[in-house]
């Protein structure tokens, strides 16, 4: 039996094609995944991502706890800022990737992935016992993502308190504002401007309806994946998991190595991996022949064989693109095995698209 968000009836009424995603009955699209993709790149789109889970971390040692739990260092951010981080196991595998919002000196809200929520909470609870801190699941909150170049203007139509809306519209990227259980962060997963809105479940239907009535395109999870791939953003379960460390997932930039005395979970194992020059690297690929790049296709390079972790057709670039884990030193042209044929692809630096503009030479 799949779970449903509080907006399930709205998705069905809008003609959403519903699919099972991580145990949740969610809209894949509302008629055209490509149209929804372009709406976010060119105007504005709205996603229900309430299957994801908000978690509050509070208490006298909440900061100490998160500095132990996460590979990035929450001490680097002040109240009103957000941070992306990986949460690791002792072997440095990624338990989950998440965004943590700092709301006060010892007050944080974290949003974790839907498919990993139970595992994440169990891991957090197992680690928090040594600290004076509390981990509290917030299934009474839901999450909407308003994304696109017009997001800031459209936000005024959401029906939220005017003071909160004005404060959110003035935010810089990766800042947040919170009031009365509502949190608005200028964050997202599409490579566009936008807001992640963590709101009480009772308010979500009215905010959703208000934005749809204002002309915002409802978007399903299908275009969320093509948008994040174009933006070069990693997807848990494909580009990383419990057996993959952030250094080979292309997420080394999220590790705070300083100060050296901060002993976060996974640090010892990561330090060993860091010293290995021969470790695989994450690269972008642009297909130069016919076909579509897909996850798990083999990548043949002079240095050895790698694998595509995420791939697909880019609606913005009108080309097939991918993220791939390849042997160290791979560059130039490689060959991807598509249906038992080797097709040439060019190694490129990602992101592929940012703020609607191509970031690579086609």
């Amino acid at each position: 039996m799949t779970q449903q968000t509080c907006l399930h009836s709205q998705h069905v009424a809008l003609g959403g094609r519903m699919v099972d995603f991580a145990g949740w009955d969610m809209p894949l699209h509302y008629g055209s995944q490509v149209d929804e993709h372009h709406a976010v790149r060119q105007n504005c789109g709205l996603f229900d991502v309430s299957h994801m889970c908000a978690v509050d971390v509070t208490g006298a040692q909440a900061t100490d706890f998160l500095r132990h739990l996460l590979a990035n260092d929450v001490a680097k951010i002040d109240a009103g800022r957000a941070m992306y981080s990986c949460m690791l196991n002792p072997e440095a595998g990624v338990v989950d990737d998440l965004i943590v919002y700092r709301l006060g000196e010892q007050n944080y809200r974290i949003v974790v992935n839907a498919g990993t929520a139970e595992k994440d909470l169990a891991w957090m609870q197992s680690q928090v016992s040594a600290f004076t801190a509390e981990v509290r699941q917030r299934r009474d909150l839901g999450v909407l993502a308003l994304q696109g170049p017009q997001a800031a203007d459209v936000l005024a139509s959401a029906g939220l308190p005017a003071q909160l809306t004005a404060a959110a519209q003035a935010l810089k990227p990766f800042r947040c504002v919170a009031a009365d259980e509502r949190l608005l962060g200028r964050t997202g997963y599409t490579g566009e401007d936008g807001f992640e809105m963590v709101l009480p479940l009772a308010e979500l239907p009215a905010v959703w309806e208000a934005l749809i009535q204002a002309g915002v395109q409802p978007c399903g999870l299908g275009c969320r994946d093509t948008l994040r791939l174009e933006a070069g953003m990693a997807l848990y379960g494909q580009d990383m998991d419990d057996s993959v460390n952030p250094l080979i997932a292309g997420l080394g930039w999220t590790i705070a190595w300083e100060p050296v005395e901060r002993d976060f979970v996974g640090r010892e194992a990561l330090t060993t991996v860091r010293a290995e020059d021969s470790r695989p690297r994450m690269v972008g690929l642009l297909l130069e022949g016919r076909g579509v790049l897909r996850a798990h296709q083999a990548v043949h390079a002079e240095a050895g064989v790698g694998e595509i972790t995420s791939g697909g057709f880019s609606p913005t670039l009108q080309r097939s693109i991918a993220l791939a884990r390849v042997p160290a030193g791979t560059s130039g042209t490689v060959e991807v095995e598509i249906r038992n044929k080797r097709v040439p692809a060019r190694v490129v630096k990602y992101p592929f698209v940012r703020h609607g503009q191509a970031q690579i030479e086609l």
Side-chain angles (χ1 to χ4, degrees), residues 21-307:
F21 180 85
W24 291 79
D25 196 31
M26 299 297 292
L28 183 65
H29 60 72
Y30 300 86
S32 171
Q33 177 176 325
V34 173
D35 287 350
E36 292 165 23
H37 180 109
H38 290 314
V40 173
R41 286 278 179 253
Q42 299 165 10
N43 191 0
C44 196
L46 182 63
F47 301 82
D48 173 21
V49 285
S50 294
H51 57 316
M52 300 176 76
C53 183
V55 180
D56 282 356
V57 178
T58 56
Q61 291 186 301
T63 299
D64 291 339
F65 167 58
L66 291 177
R67 296 189 77 210
H68 160 79
L69 185 73
L70 303 178
N72 213 338
D73 188 358
V74 296
K76 296 192 302 183
I77 58 172
D78 300 321
R81 301 192 69 163
M83 169 180 281
Y84 175 75
S85 181
C86 291
M87 178 168 64
L88 308 180
N89 57 35
E91 293 74 36
V94 181
V95 178
D96 200 5
D97 67 323
L98 51 83
I99 288 183
V100 54
Y101 296 94
R102 189 166 191 171
L103 307 182
E105 186 65 23
Q106 303 288 348
N107 184 6
Y108 298 86
R109 179 161 295 161
I110 295 173
V111 178
V112 303
N113 283 304
T116 58
E118 289 188 13
K119 178 187 69 168
D120 293 353
L121 282 162
W123 177 243
M124 289 179 185
Q125 295 290 3
S126 74
Q127 296 296 306
V128 77
S129 58
F131 298 86
T132 306
E134 179 187 13
V135 174
R136 185 161 66 107
Q137 184 181 15
R138 298 296 307 270
R139 279 299 185 195
D140 57 322
L141 302 176
V143 187
L144 296 178
L146 181 65
Q147 296 283 295
Q150 303 303 317
D153 293 335
V154 172
L155 185 64
S157 302
L160 295 168
Q163 190 172 1
L164 180 68
T165 299
Q169 288 171 317
L171 290 172
K172 294 181 179 178
F174 262 69
R175 264 68 167 186
C176 65
V177 59
D180 300 328
E181 297 286 9
R182 306 180 183 96
L183 183 154
L184 273 62
R186 201 148 196 168
T187 57
Y189 193 52
T190 63
E192 296 296 333
D193 188 17
F195 301 87
E196 300 274 352
M197 300 183 283
V198 186
L199 304 171
L201 287 183
E203 295 185 4
L204 244 63
V207 173
W208 172 274
E209 294 286 358
L211 290 171
I212 299 302
Q213 287 297 316
V216 179
Q217 171 68 54
C219 296
L221 298 183
C223 79
R224 190 167 171 85
D225 192 54
T226 53
L227 289 159
R228 73 90 195 168
L229 178 60
E230 289 184 349
M233 296 177 175
L235 175 63
Y236 192 85
Q238 287 191 200
D239 305 302
M240 63 188 135
D241 57 32
D242 294 273
S243 66
V244 175
N245 69 69
L247 287 174
I248 65 171
L251 296 171
W253 61 274
T254 70
I255 302 167
W257 295 101
E258 301 290 339
V260 294
E261 60 269 21
R262 186 175 70 93
D263 187 21
F264 60 84
V265 178
R267 177 165 194 145
E268 183 176 353
L270 268 184
T271 301
T272 301
V273 175
R274 189 187 191 189
E276 299 170 352
D277 291 336
S278 60
R279 67 177 182 275
R281 302 289 198 271
M282 191 70 86
V283 299
L285 296 180
L286 176 69
L287 189 65
E288 298 200 310
R290 295 175 61 85
V292 178
L293 299 175
R294 300 291 187 194
H296 307 305
Q297 290 171 339
V299 179
H300 298 269
E302 284 189 9
V305 180
E307 181 184 28

Side-chain angles (χ1 to χ4, degrees), residues 275 314 324:
S314 162

Side-chain angles (χ1 to χ4, degrees), residues 314-326:
S314 162
T316 303
L317 304 178
Q318 293 292 297
R319 298 284 294 275
S320 191
I321 59 175
L323 300 176
R325 190 168 298 122
V326 297

